Amino acid sequence: MLGDLQDKLRNILRKIEGTAHFDEKILEEVLKEMQKALITSDVDTNLAFSFIEHARKRVREEKGLKFTKKEQFIYIIYDELTKIIGTGKKLEISGKPYKILLVGLFGSGKTTTAAKLAKYYKKRGYKVALLGLDTYRAAAMKQVKQLAEKIQVPYFIDESAKKPEKIVKEFEGKFGNYDLIIADSAGRDALDNKLRDEIKDIKREFQPDESILVIPADIGQSAKEQAQNFRKLVNIKNVIITKMDGTAKGGGALTACYETESPVVFLGTGEKVDELEEFEPESFVSRLLGLGDIKSLLQKAQEAFSVEEAQEASSKFFKGDFNFIDFHKQLEGIKKMGSFGKIMNMIPGVAGVPKELLDLQEGKMERFDYILQSMTFEELRNPKKIKGTRLQRIAFGAGVSEEEVRELVKSFNQLSKLSKKMNPRKIKDLEKNFNLKKLKGMM
Ligand SMILES: Nc1nc2c(ncn2[C@@H]2O[C@H](COP(=O)(O)OP(=O)(O)OP(=O)(O)O)[C@@H](O)[C@H]2O)c(=O)[nH]1
Ligand SMILES: [Mg+2]
């Protein structure tokens, strides 16, 4: 996805990783390269300029805190790109039946996306039906039928109907049997009067709870005008961007996300019915930059859990001042060295380790790892933020239950509390004794 822009940005970041001193000169070089990469990949020029300006200002003004200058730069790039592509949002399906209408121009991917959404929500336990309202294109009804049969979802079509509102009238008595009705509408080359009237008629008769604009990634800047025009016609709250897989240059997709000025809820990433992704800006940008969901920073801990690092992490632990990044390091170290309990019990003065922590098993730790990798920088550094929709998103991203995320947060809090309970006078001694080299030798 996003082809050459991804390659270019990743190469630039790789270069940064390889530099010994990250100074002003290198900063300027890198920013210049980045600007070029964005523009030659079809990101709108003004957008690219303002992106670079912001990044430069922030690198100069913000203090690194726990980051090295390089890490701080990567973080700022990541953060600014996340801002460009906007906020992610989950569709809220409420009330029964919840009615979604997909609108958009010719070939934008409405019909395919209708089926993708139906499959997505069916999988999540909703009773879904497709409603074909495209009376304009001859084969449209057949396409809905074929797709619906493929994903085994009920469908309402009428191949002889001339007006979409007729089809709505014909079937509306049955809508109440479903949680979700997803309606496919006709496209046109442009938002002409015919299409306007048609959408107005559908709106009046169908009364959608949610109208979603379907826009292909390759239209780039013109996404703005299109979104604005459709918004005047129906209340567009959300956007789905399709063909994220196919854009030749990739930057157009970024621009499209930015220009629609509406939250992007899903991305279409291929022709198949399961090629739909919930849009999650942070993980999207991580992938774009090759951070693999914040992996680059965590990777350091994964690859080499050095004695020094372990000591640094444990020293923070003893001071009651540590976050998920440190926690992750601890987990990694523990994975390499044996069970958690063994280590904890070897630390003099540490009694009353909660049983759940002692019982942390390999498999569970691996799942904890997925959870940590689904978190954003902010969340890793500030575990208190993990609740509500953040918690949901993390669980979804990691492919685990919300309960498991809660469990991780709980384990973390226990560990954190434990570290705060320690007697400050003993900390120096403990630090001296907590010598991992020695521990390693003992196992
Ligand atoms: N590569 C790729 N192709 C897609 C995606 N979504 C849709 N398509 C393809 O784009 C073409 C048009 O898709 P449709 O779903 O028929 O588009 P539509 O908006 O319903 O088109 P009209 O009804 O004619 O306005 C088809 O060949 C789809 O297979 C996507 O995310 N990626
Ligand atoms: Mg269609």
Side-chain angles (χ1 to χ4, degrees):
M1 190 158 61
L2 291 172
D4 71 338
L5 177 61
Q6 191 161 341
D7 292 343
K8 282 178 196 157
L9 291 178
R10 286 179 182 200
N11 282 338
I12 294 171
L13 289 196
R14 215 168 286 142
K15 207 150 121 191
I16 298 172
E17 292 286 347
T19 54
H21 300 289
F22 191 74
D23 55 16
E24 272 289 308
K25 191 169 152 259
I26 291 174
L27 172 68
E28 280 312 313
E29 262 175 46
V30 167
L31 286 175
K32 212 175 267 170
E33 271 183 56
M34 216 151 221
Q35 182 169 310
K36 198 171 137 204
L38 291 170
I39 292 171
T40 55
S41 304
D42 268 3
V43 171
D44 173 50
T45 321
N46 287 329
L47 186 59
F49 284 148
S50 86
F51 169 83
I52 295 296
E53 268 313 300
H54 272 123
R56 178 185 286 118
K57 195 159 174 273
R58 285 186 60 183
V59 174
R60 288 193 178 142
E61 287 174 6
E62 285 175 20
K63 292 275 172 288
L65 296 172
K66 288 177 191 160
F67 293 139
T68 64
K69 205 75 188 161
K70 271 191 235 174
E71 285 169 338
Q72 184 208 7
F73 176 79
I74 293 170
Y75 176 64
I76 288 171
I77 294 300
Y78 164 86
D79 204 37
E80 287 295 317
L81 274 174
T82 311
K83 280 186 197 153
I84 286 188
I85 63 166
T87 51
K89 206 181 126 190
K90 251 191 152 135
L91 281 191
E92 276 175 36
I93 313 289
S94 55
K96 186 183 167 181
Y98 193 77
K99 291 179 282 181
I100 294 179
L101 171 67
L102 299 184
V103 296
L105 297 186
F106 257 152
S108 60
K110 296 175 292 300
T111 313
T112 315
T113 305
K116 286 178 178 180
L117 285 175
K119 181 163 187 203
Y120 177 93
Y121 284 107
K122 182 188 167 192
K123 231 172 150 178
R124 281 156 184 78
Y126 290 89
K127 239 180 122 187
V128 190
L130 281 173
L131 172 64
L133 298 182
D134 181 356
T135 49
Y136 185 73
R137 195 159 59 82
M141 293 291 161
K142 274 208 177 67
Q143 193 188 355
V144 170
K145 178 174 184 261
Q146 273 167 4
L147 286 166
E149 281 168 357
K150 192 169 181 177
I151 58 173
Q152 297 186 324
V153 154
Y155 55 94
F156 302 113
I157 57 168
D158 181 344
E159 289 184 75
S160 61
K162 298 270 182 299
K163 297 262 180 201
E165 64 269 27
K166 278 253 172 63
I167 307 180
V168 176
K169 277 197 188 118
E170 193 179 333
F171 296 109
E172 64 192 349
K174 296 186 176 157
F175 294 167
N177 299 332
Y178 299 90
D179 299 317
L180 186 60
I181 305 287
I182 302 171
D184 173 43
S185 68
R188 295 284 196 289
D189 281 338
L191 190 51
D192 56 16
N193 287 337
K194 279 226 162 75
L195 184 55
R196 266 179 228 280
D197 291 343
E198 202 172 289
I199 291 176
K200 275 186 206 158
D201 290 341
I202 293 178
K203 193 181 151 196
R204 197 185 54 245
E205 211 52 54
F206 183 52
Q207 301 205 350
D209 296 291
E210 169 106 32
S211 302
I212 302 178
L213 177 64
V214 180
I215 247 174
D218 48 18
I219 68 167
Q221 259 180 291
S222 43
K224 183 174 193 157
E225 204 193 330
Q226 222 179 91
Q228 280 171 348
N229 289 338
F230 272 96
R231 214 175 286 134
K232 275 181 214 153
L233 198 63
V234 272
N235 178 20
I236 302 275
K237 280 190 279 187
N238 299 300
V239 173
I240 292 176
I241 302 199
T242 60
K243 308 189 186 177
M244 292 299 285
D245 52 310
T247 44
K249 289 187 170 173
L254 270 191
T255 308
C257 288
Y258 179 75
E259 297 284 351
T260 59
E261 294 170 348
S262 291
V264 178
V265 279
F266 287 99
L267 299 177
T269 57
E271 297 196 22
K272 298 200 198 82
V273 277
D274 42 14
E275 288 175 315
L276 180 79
E277 274 182 25
E278 208 170 308
F279 180 63
E280 217 277 88
E282 286 126 343
S283 79
F284 181 82
V285 174
S286 298
R287 254 187 303 167
L288 181 65
L289 293 177
L291 298 180
D293 287 319
I294 201 72
K295 263 195 195 124
S296 96
L297 277 189
L298 293 178
Q299 231 159 27
K300 278 204 282 185
Q302 274 168 0
E303 279 161 12
F305 187 81
S306 69
V307 171
E308 286 80 353
E309 268 185 310
Q311 273 173 338
E312 189 203 306
S314 57
S315 141
K316 279 169 125 187
F317 170 69
F318 289 132
K319 286 182 186 127
D321 161 36
F322 77 133
N323 55 32
F324 267 136
I325 297 178
D326 308 314
F327 185 47
H328 186 268
K329 283 184 188 170
Q330 295 278 14
L331 283 183
E332 282 303 318
I334 291 158
K335 247 198 282 187
K336 288 196 180 131
M337 288 184 296
S339 84
F340 194 78
K342 254 198 225 164
I343 297 201
M344 289 308 270
N345 289 334
M346 279 178 201
I347 307 173
V350 177
V353 177
K355 190 172 177 306
E356 296 94 300
L357 290 181
L358 290 176
D359 287 342
L360 271 183
Q361 295 300 316
E362 272 290 307
K364 181 149 269 176
M365 281 207 262
E366 220 165 83
R367 293 171 79 77
F368 275 6
D369 237 23
Y370 295 142
I371 299 175
L372 290 172
Q373 283 171 20
S374 298
M375 291 180 189
T376 65
F377 254 112
E378 268 321 292
E379 290 154 356
L380 285 168
R381 292 199 304 170
N382 208 343
K384 283 203 184 75
K385 289 196 165 171
I386 299 171
K387 48 190 161 200
T389 51
R390 278 182 190 262
L391 196 133
Q392 280 173 1
R393 198 210 70 238
I394 293 167
F396 183 78
V400 303
S401 67
E402 285 174 34
E403 199 40 53
E404 256 177 297
V405 180
R406 262 184 229 115
E407 197 186 328
L408 170 61
V409 175
K410 195 174 140 208
S411 294
F412 174 80
N413 286 337
Q414 283 174 333
L415 208 54
S416 188
K417 223 187 266 166
L418 186 75
S419 81
K420 282 186 185 116
K421 264 204 313 220
M422 289 189 191
N423 183 345
R425 261 193 310 123
K426 281 193 177 168
I427 285 176
K428 274 269 164 292
D429 285 349
L430 285 174
E431 277 190 65
K432 250 189 270 161
N433 284 321
F434 192 72
N435 182 332
L436 282 174
K437 252 187 206 152
K438 205 162 86 189
L439 286 180
K440 268 182 182 167
M442 286 162 72
M443 279 188 223

